[in-house]
Amino acid sequence: VPYNLSNRMSFHVALDILRKELAAAFLAKGCSVSVDGEYETFPKERVKVYVSCRPCRESGVPAGVEVADQLGAVAQLRRFVEGMSSISPDPVDLKAAKAKLSAELDAEFSDNGRLLELVAVRYGEGKDLVTGAKAAVESVTADSVRKMLGLLASGAQVEYVIL
C-alpha cells in the first residue's frame, strides 16, 4: 500500500472496523479475537494485520454455542478473509472509528517527544505524518475502508500459526 495520509488513516479506521466484524464472526464459534495492525513506512511501505483467536472456556459461552477447536477457528478465519473485501462499514461504526482515531492523534500530537520524532521523519526521510492528518481522518469514507479491506484480503501473504 503506497504511503500517503489518506491510506494511513483508512488503514487505521479499517482496522477498527475489522476488530468489530471479526468479534461478531467469531462470537458464534465461542472464540475471543484480538486484532492488531501496523502501517510501516520504513524500510518498506507495507501493512500488517495480526489476528489471534482463542477458544473461550465452555463455561463462559452462552448455552447452545459450541466452542470451535483450532482447525475450526482457522477455517472460520479463512472464510472471513475471503469475504473481507465485501464488508461495508456501518455509518455509525465508521463515525465512531474516525472519532477514536482523531482522539488518538490528538494524544500523539500533544506529546512533544513524539512530535520531535515525527519532524525528524519528515525532514530526514521525506514522510510527513502530521500535516493534514486530521483532515485525512475526516476524508475517510466507507469506500476507502472497503478498498483497504480489499487490499488486505488480497495481500501477498497470509500465515496461520496454530498453538
Side-chain angles (χ1 to χ4, degrees), residues 41-52:
T41 53
F42 304 104
K44 183 178 175 182
E45 296 167 351
R46 62 181 164 209
V47 294
K48 295 179 184 177
V49 176
Y50 304 96
V51 178
S52 298

Side-chain angles (χ1 to χ4, degrees), residues 3-58:
Y3 177 78
N4 61 52
L5 275 176
S6 293
N7 282 344
R8 179 176 178 230
M9 299 310 165
S10 291
F11 170 75
H12 287 293
V13 170
L15 196 59
D16 213 41
I17 300 294
L18 195 57
R19 282 185 185 101
K20 183 174 190 255
E21 294 289 330
L22 274 165
F26 278 86
L27 181 65
K29 295 292 183 183
C31 294
S32 68
V33 179
S34 66
V35 180
D36 290 307
E38 297 175 16
Y39 193 110
E40 294 182 353
T41 53
F42 304 104
K44 183 178 175 182
E45 296 167 351
R46 62 181 164 209
V47 294
K48 295 179 184 177
V49 176
Y50 304 96
V51 178
S52 298
C53 303
R54 292 186 177 85
C56 296
R57 286 180 286 170
E58 301 244 354

